[in-house]
Amino acid sequence: MNWVADRPALDARALRREFPIFARHPSLVFLDSAASAQKPRQVIDGIAEFYRGDYANVHRGVYKLSARSTDLFEEARERLRAFFNAADEREIVFTRNATEAINLVAQSWGTAHLKAGDEIVISDVEHHSNILPWQQLRDRLGLKLLVAPTDETGEFDLARFEALLSAKTRLVAVTHLSNVTGAVLPVERIVELAHVRGACVLIDGSQAAPRMPVDVRALGCDFYAVTGHKLYGPTGIGVLYGRYDALEAMPPWQTGGGTILNVELAHTDYIEPPHRFEAGTPDIAGAVGLARAVEFIEGIGRDAIRAHEEALTGYGLDRLSHIPGLRLVAGGQRRLSILSFNLDGVHAHDVGTVLDQHDVAVRVGHHCAQPLMDKLGIAGTVRASFGLYNDEADIDRLSAAIEACREMFR
Ligand SMILES: *Cc1c(COP(=O)(O)O)cnc(C)c1O
């Protein structure tokens, strides 16, 4: 198959020039965007400009600068609303990251709505961040945590998932795109099947949001969790999308300044979402930076980014499958941007170290998915993941470095 001919109009080489890190490290082949993406100038400069010219605390000042800062913070919320096509900007809660977004739902929604005997369904490719909050809730409330499997080809098994659902199912919490296998889960169908049983659905969009169009209204999910630093934005900021009626029926999970209407020592009235869930001074500059990031992505086009990453994934699969002794972890038919593998007879950490000597940056280890490693019967993998600045030449450098590693450990 000729992947080059299928390439859509996205000039990764030109886009790379928008990322200052590559000017500082010209020989770097960065294949670790699934851990965190690099930042475009627009984001870095946007944050610096905000601190230089517009900074003050939000929501409290009567003076002009604070009003300006508040406007920029709330405009960032509106940007994120539009980016995910939420119906209302009050459905966008700023959090620290995806982990905090998921914990918010577990602590607030879970505690308010779940009772002993209720069931939560997750998948077997979840990141620890979408396992541990539910484990903790299970232990605290006496819930059951069920795990929907992927099959040997890495595909989510819809039939076995459906068989796990019942009237006791209250929540389905699954990833949109696996950070280990790259599998894209059939989330549209998962939402439909869960909603028929009256269960809520949380989707962990940490890996999908940077790589494909995400329309929360079309998906129909109740919650969608995103982390800003994988979306070409800064660290320290994430987003929880929640359907407004769901958020409205949830108590605050952390309390303090910014969450209240009226406080008496005996009683407090809390304000509406989203501010009810944003206790204390938020990461104002982070929100502004994340807004610049989604503007950057929209400027390129998410369809173009997805097509680009699909083409890279196809090219990468083709290249890696020709390397003797390289075993790819299965990622199903709709795998996107993430390729995990092991080299026969070489520890993943050694592969990563040799690749680094060739200036190829990959991640090695369990990728915060130990239950999946256990299922696959491996301790870890080498993971190459793509971003919008990667191109075929990066994959050629990766395969050359893997060949060098094979030579070394022969
Ligand atoms: C990275 C990641 C998370 C956690 O993101 P944080 O920024 O660490 O909160 C959760 N789920 C998936 C699938 C991820 O890839």
Side-chain angles (χ1 to χ4, degrees):
M1 204 177 306
N2 186 353
W3 295 101
V4 178
D6 291 344
R7 272 273 294 281
L10 183 159
D11 186 345
R13 279 281 144 181
L15 282 172
R16 191 177 301 196
R17 288 196 287 276
E18 296 301 315
F19 290 77
I21 196 113
F22 297 116
R24 295 278 182 97
H25 305 276
S27 69
L28 174 65
V29 172
F30 187 74
L31 297 174
D32 197 22
S33 295
S36 203
Q38 296 297 343
K39 317 305 171 198
R41 200 182 319 278
Q42 194 164 325
V43 168
I44 299 167
D45 293 352
I47 294 168
E49 184 48 34
F50 173 69
Y51 277 126
R52 288 213 178 86
D54 302 306
Y55 181 76
N57 207 339
V58 290
H59 300 318
R60 286 181 260 284
V62 292
Y63 54 90
K64 289 189 281 302
L65 195 59
S66 174
R68 165 93 183 133
S69 183
T70 303
D71 285 348
L72 288 170
F73 183 63
E74 293 302 328
E75 277 165 26
R77 196 187 305 279
E78 165 54 26
R79 275 276 170 199
L80 271 301
R81 181 208 65 74
F83 189 73
F84 291 110
N85 195 32
D88 191 311
E89 64 190 48
R90 295 175 301 170
E91 298 180 319
I92 301 297
V93 180
F94 284 121
T95 62
R96 277 193 303 139
N97 46 37
T99 302
E100 189 175 77
I102 297 167
N103 274 277
L104 191 169
V105 176
Q107 298 296 323
S108 171
W109 183 88
T111 308
H113 296 297
L114 301 182
K115 58 176 192 320
D118 286 346
E119 297 180 356
I120 294 177
V121 180
I122 60 174
S123 86
D124 65 359
V125 294
E126 297 309 318
H127 188 282
H128 292 164
S129 290
N130 197 31
I131 303 174
L132 310 193
W134 312 118
Q135 256 183 14
Q136 197 186 39
L137 201 62
R138 173 198 65 192
D139 296 344
R140 194 148 54 79
L141 300 179
L143 312 173
K144 264 172 95 177
L145 187 57
L146 308 177
V147 181
T150 42
D151 65 22
E152 58 287 348
T153 70
E155 210 73 64
F156 184 80
D157 191 331
L158 269 169
R160 289 177 70 188
F161 166 70
E162 195 172 1
L164 290 177
L165 299 175
S166 74
K168 288 189 197 149
T169 315
R170 300 300 310 283
L171 178 76
V172 172
V174 291
T175 191
H176 197 165
L177 199 172
S178 162
N179 69 306
V180 177
T181 70
V184 176
L185 272 64
V187 286
E188 298 82 356
R189 194 75 189 114
I190 290 172
V191 170
E192 280 171 19
L193 292 170
H195 279 177
V196 168
R197 274 83 178 179
C200 268
V201 180
L202 176 143
I203 299 173
D204 174 357
S206 302
Q207 297 294 347
R211 306 198 154 85
M212 59 174 75
V214 173
D215 179 333
V216 291
R217 263 189 286 177
L219 285 175
C221 58
D222 303 277
F223 302 103
Y224 197 91
V226 175
T227 199
H229 66 97
K230 294 178 185 171
L231 199 54
Y232 304 98
T235 53
I237 189 83
V239 166
L240 173 70
Y241 157 79
R243 259 192 318 106
Y244 192 73
D245 55 337
L247 291 178
E248 214 180 10
M250 287 159 55
W253 74 305
Q254 295 174 335
T255 57
T259 63
I260 55 96
L261 274 178
N262 179 47
V263 180
E264 295 162 25
L265 284 176
H267 174 76
T268 295
D269 295 315
Y270 291 96
I271 52 173
E272 284 84 58
H275 299 110
R276 182 190 294 171
F277 302 108
E278 295 175 357
T281 301
D283 185 351
I284 312 164
V288 170
L290 184 55
R292 295 295 92 80
V294 303
E295 284 161 22
F296 176 78
I297 291 170
E298 281 167 343
I300 300 163
R302 278 176 285 176
D303 285 319
I305 293 173
R306 176 170 55 186
H308 171 72
E309 299 206 18
E310 275 170 359
L312 282 183
T313 307
Y315 185 79
L317 281 170
D318 191 47
R319 287 305 301 258
L320 296 191
S321 63
H322 286 103
I323 299 178
L326 187 148
R327 278 172 297 112
L328 272 159
V329 174
Q333 287 301 312
R334 297 198 295 164
R335 178 190 337 227
L336 189 61
S337 300
I338 296 172
L339 302 178
S340 273
F341 60 90
N342 277 292
L343 259 194
D344 277 344
V346 191
H347 194 283
H349 278 85
D350 293 330
V351 178
T353 305
V354 174
L355 296 193
D356 181 53
Q357 286 160 5
H358 293 259
D359 256 341
V360 176
V362 295
R363 185 137 304 234
V364 298
H366 57 61
H367 316 296
C368 297
Q370 281 184 0
L372 177 58
M373 297 298 124
D374 290 346
K375 175 189 163 173
L376 296 171
I378 52 182
T381 76
V382 183
R383 180 185 72 185
S385 56
F386 312 132
L388 54 85
Y389 31 63
N390 293 119
D391 62 6
E392 282 87 353
D394 290 340
I395 293 170
D396 293 342
R397 288 267 307 275
L398 169 69
S399 47
I402 297 171
E403 290 288 4
C405 182
R406 285 185 58 234
E407 283 300 312
M408 209 163 165
F409 285 89
R410 204 205 282 282

